Amino acid sequence: MLVEFSVENYRSFKERQTFSMVASKKKTGQDSNSFPMPNVKSLRLLTSAVVYGPNASGKSNLVRAMQTMRQIVLQSATGMQLGSRWNIEPFRLNADYQNKPSCFEIIFIEDNIRYQYGFSLDQERVYEEWLIAYPKGRAQTWFERNYCSEEQEYDWYFGRGLKGEKERIKGFVRPNSLFLSHAAQNNPPQLGKLFLWFSSKLNLIPSRFQYSYKFTDLKFDISTNYSDNFFKLIKGNDFGLSNGIQQLCEIGGYWINALDNGEILIIDQLDRSLHSEISTYLIKEFNNQAANQNNAQLIVTTHDTTFLDRDIVNQDQIWFTEKGSNNSTKLYSLLDFQVREDESLQKGYLKGRYGAVPFVIGLDS
């Protein structure tokens, strides 16, 4: 389960921006669009969220930041050699930030335990890495490393809550790799399951996603593994016709796996090649307690204002991105605005009441 994700000094993100899946405590709609956070009775987590914003406002960069963090975790131990460089792009419109590391932090829940994990790095070096666990509802720092530029070495801290051969694993860690990734390769049960969360529970479909199935693979997979609900979506369609059908079949596998296994599915530009009714159906299934019995979560970026309907999403499920005066991305929630209960969210957004809409100059001006 995803609780929060934060990013700083990465592509269009300058200052730290935080995306949250914590439901609002005030009544903003249907409780069916959220579920209780394990071991925290006072908080609930959202089943879905939609992110709006004009082109080049940073929507895709939010997904890309999550994907980059996941990739670094999965590849730093086995895919990077000493001296290799990460493809990290800091905020380039400020000279001071070009020389600062990028920072990623994620808060998530696995096996009913909340974890807060993050790191800062540039193309050549990890400067900080930390993991805080809440096994009994109280914070325990399991490990932390900080690079000291004067001594050109790391300060390490290991908490008593973290078991295993910590000192031996520390010897494998390179300047450009993560302790979490190396620990997972050495099979400590505590950190191994966190690595598996990144690899199997956090699923992302970027906007430039390439279809991985062939026509024959689709027929085989659908006929044996896909649910009855998915058949309803594709019934009557010819697999050789459109990009939309291909995208639907590709997303369908991730969609069903997420619902069946309680995974997180993040899709950039959900409306790409998909009809609004199909996209709406995908979102509603995550908000449907009968269909989503394992507390799966869906996050999408989109331009489709059809989803700005109180029968689909609540106010706390709607997020926006827009560029500020310094051309950096600001990420904010619809909760930041006073919205009347009878107000049309779609009309309010299109009129620019919440920001995050393109400024169009007339062709005749």
Side-chain angles (χ1 to χ4, degrees):
M1 304 169 189
L2 178 64
V3 181
E4 283 186 1
F5 174 78
S6 299
V7 58
E8 180 181 355
N9 192 30
Y10 176 76
R11 295 180 64 84
S12 62
F13 293 100
K14 181 184 176 186
E15 292 88 5
R16 181 184 176 97
Q17 302 291 315
T18 298
F19 175 84
S20 175
M21 291 293 284
V22 177
S24 172
K25 290 185 178 180
K26 62 182 181 180
K27 185 71 174 180
T28 63
Q30 307 172 66
D31 286 340
S32 61
N33 293 11
S34 64
F35 56 88
M37 183 185 295
N39 299 323
V40 185
K41 296 181 179 179
S42 61
L43 296 178
R44 299 176 67 88
L45 295 178
L46 298 172
T47 54
S48 65
V50 292
V51 183
Y52 287 92
N55 291 330
S57 64
K59 298 188 306 298
S60 293
N61 282 342
L62 175 64
V63 176
R64 190 165 181 173
M66 295 181 183
Q67 185 181 31
T68 296
M69 183 180 197
R70 179 180 184 272
Q71 181 182 23
I72 293 172
V73 170
L74 299 184
Q75 296 183 2
S76 74
T78 58
M80 293 291 287
Q81 301 300 318
L82 184 65
S84 299
R85 297 168 64 90
W86 289 109
N87 184 25
I88 296 295
E89 303 176 48
F91 183 75
R92 298 188 181 279
L93 300 181
N94 185 297
D96 293 336
Y97 278 76
Q98 292 183 31
N99 298 318
K100 290 182 178 181
S102 301
C103 183
F104 307 86
E105 184 179 67
I106 195 165
I107 302 176
F108 63 97
I109 296 173
E110 178 66 359
D111 288 342
N112 293 328
I113 299 177
R114 178 161 44 110
Y115 298 95
Q116 182 176 347
Y117 174 69
F119 51 82
S120 66
L121 78 170
D122 57 21
Q123 293 184 347
E124 299 178 349
R125 177 180 295 279
V126 175
Y127 290 89
E128 299 173 287
E129 184 184 6
W130 61 92
L131 174 63
I132 302 171
Y134 298 78
K136 297 181 180 179
R138 303 181 66 178
Q140 297 180 3
T141 299
W142 278 8
F143 73 83
E144 184 177 358
R145 63 190 275 217
N146 294 279
Y147 181 68
C148 301
S149 57
E150 294 182 0
E151 293 83 2
Q152 295 188 349
E153 61 182 23
Y154 288 93
D155 282 337
W156 289 84
Y157 169 80
F158 292 106
R160 289 182 295 179
L162 182 63
K163 310 301 180 183
E165 300 177 293
K166 301 178 284 284
E167 292 295 330
R168 184 180 70 86
I169 297 172
K170 185 178 75 173
F172 301 145
V173 179
R174 300 181 299 275
N176 62 351
S177 63
L178 300 174
F179 177 82
L180 175 63
S181 304
H182 285 281
Q185 302 301 316
N186 288 269
N187 297 319
Q190 290 173 298
L191 300 186
K193 66 180 181 180
L194 303 191
F195 184 89
L196 289 175
W197 184 88
F198 279 96
S199 65
S200 62
K201 291 295 184 70
L202 184 63
N203 301 291
L204 299 103
I205 302 180
S207 59
R208 296 181 179 180
F209 188 74
Q210 298 296 319
Y211 303 117
S212 61
Y213 291 123
K214 297 180 180 178
F215 173 75
T216 53
D217 296 329
L218 283 171
K219 290 182 64 178
F220 176 80
D221 287 343
I222 291 173
S223 64
T224 56
N225 300 325
Y226 282 50
S227 71
D228 292 338
N229 285 338
F230 186 68
F231 275 119
K232 295 178 183 178
L233 287 179
I234 63 176
K235 184 178 180 180
N237 289 295
D238 185 342
F239 289 110
L241 288 180
S242 70
N243 289 334
I245 293 299
Q246 293 181 56
Q247 170 132 337
L248 176 60
C249 291
E250 188 68 42
I251 290 176
Y254 289 94
W255 171 64
I256 291 171
N257 284 336
L259 290 173
D260 286 348
N261 302 312
E263 299 172 358
I264 301 112
L265 178 58
I266 302 170
I267 306 175
D268 191 17
Q269 297 183 19
L270 175 64
D271 48 319
R272 181 172 63 104
S273 301
L274 290 182
H275 192 279
S276 293
E277 290 189 8
I278 294 178
S279 300
T280 299
Y281 177 78
L282 296 178
I283 295 175
K284 282 187 172 182
E285 284 294 276
F286 276 80
N287 296 336
N288 183 343
Q289 292 181 343
N292 186 5
Q293 299 182 14
N294 296 310
N295 297 330
Q297 294 171 295
L298 175 69
I299 301 167
V300 302
T301 71
T302 184
H303 292 290
D304 191 342
T305 59
T306 304
F307 311 141
L308 293 175
D309 186 317
R310 297 178 190 273
D311 291 333
I312 302 174
V313 295
N314 300 328
Q315 185 178 341
D316 54 0
Q317 295 174 272
I318 302 170
W319 286 77
F320 304 104
T321 58
E322 70 175 2
K323 290 284 185 69
S325 58
N326 60 1
N327 282 320
S328 67
T329 295
K330 177 185 177 183
L331 176 66
Y332 58 97
S333 169
L334 183 58
L335 290 174
D336 295 343
F337 297 85
Q338 295 292 330
V339 180
R340 302 188 314 272
E341 292 185 3
D342 61 345
E343 180 176 334
S344 169
L345 301 180
Q346 186 179 33
K347 289 182 179 179
Y349 173 64
L350 292 176
K351 289 182 178 180
R353 184 175 175 207
Y354 320 129
V357 292
F359 178 72
V360 181
I361 301 176
L363 295 178
D364 56 351
S365 61

